[in-house]
Amino acid sequence: MIRSDKDILAVLTSSMDACAIYDSADLHISYANTSMLKLWNCDQQAIGQHLEDCMQREELLPYIPLLKEAWRYGKKQVAKKIQVRLQSEVQSALIDDYTFEYYPLLNEKGGNLRYISANDSDSRK
């Protein structure tokens, strides 16, 4: 049973998927795990910024409006087979396909609390 925000953060921190929590409609980043920061090509300094201000991957910028739409309408949004070029210590560039899923989290009154953006690499399925 999830009893607090700390429980949610513990799950997200241990997730192999890239996860982030935004706490406003203008996508203020309140949390991002290491996998998400790597996907964005950012470091911990992204926390506390707006997603559009710190996003380092141009190929992901077109999906920000989809996340904003999920926030506005309170419904899950999905974008599949998004190709992202990741740098690797072993290879100069690795292209991987991702599925982005944007989920609403609601507070006890049914209002917007924050949203999670998570992705799965299709190659792991």
Side-chain angles (χ1 to χ4, degrees), residues 91-102:
Q91 300 171 329
S92 60
L94 174 67
I95 298 176
D96 208 352
D97 289 338
Y98 286 84
T99 298
F100 286 87
E101 299 179 10
Y102 305 116

Side-chain angles (χ1 to χ4, degrees), residues 27-56:
L27 305 181
H28 178 263
I29 302 165
S30 64
Y31 171 81
N33 68 4
T34 302
S35 296
M36 183 61 85
L37 293 170
K38 180 179 176 183
L39 184 63
W40 290 339
N41 196 27
C42 295
D43 59 22
Q44 285 289 328
Q45 292 180 359
I47 308 301
Q49 295 186 47
H50 294 100
L51 183 60
E52 290 172 300
D53 296 337
C54 66
M55 175 65 70
Q56 302 269 335

Side-chain angles (χ1 to χ4, degrees), residues 37-106:
L37 293 170
K38 180 179 176 183
L39 184 63
W40 290 339
N41 196 27
C42 295
D43 59 22
Q44 285 289 328
Q45 292 180 359
I47 308 301
Q49 295 186 47
H50 294 100
L51 183 60
E52 290 172 300
D53 296 337
C54 66
M55 175 65 70
Q56 302 269 335
R57 294 201 190 277
E58 287 191 31
E59 66 265 37
L60 296 180
L61 289 174
Y63 300 98
I64 291 176
L66 186 66
L67 176 55
K68 286 183 176 183
E69 187 174 308
W71 186 283
R72 185 175 309 122
Y73 298 110
K75 295 187 179 182
K76 177 182 169 182
Q77 297 288 334
V78 177
K80 295 182 178 183
K81 300 220 180 240
I82 301 167
Q83 291 193 337
V84 179
R85 182 180 303 271
L86 300 174
Q87 296 296 339
S88 166
E89 293 175 11
V90 178
Q91 300 171 329
S92 60
L94 174 67
I95 298 176
D96 208 352
D97 289 338
Y98 286 84
T99 298
F100 286 87
E101 299 179 10
Y102 305 116
Y103 296 94
L105 291 178
L106 304 176

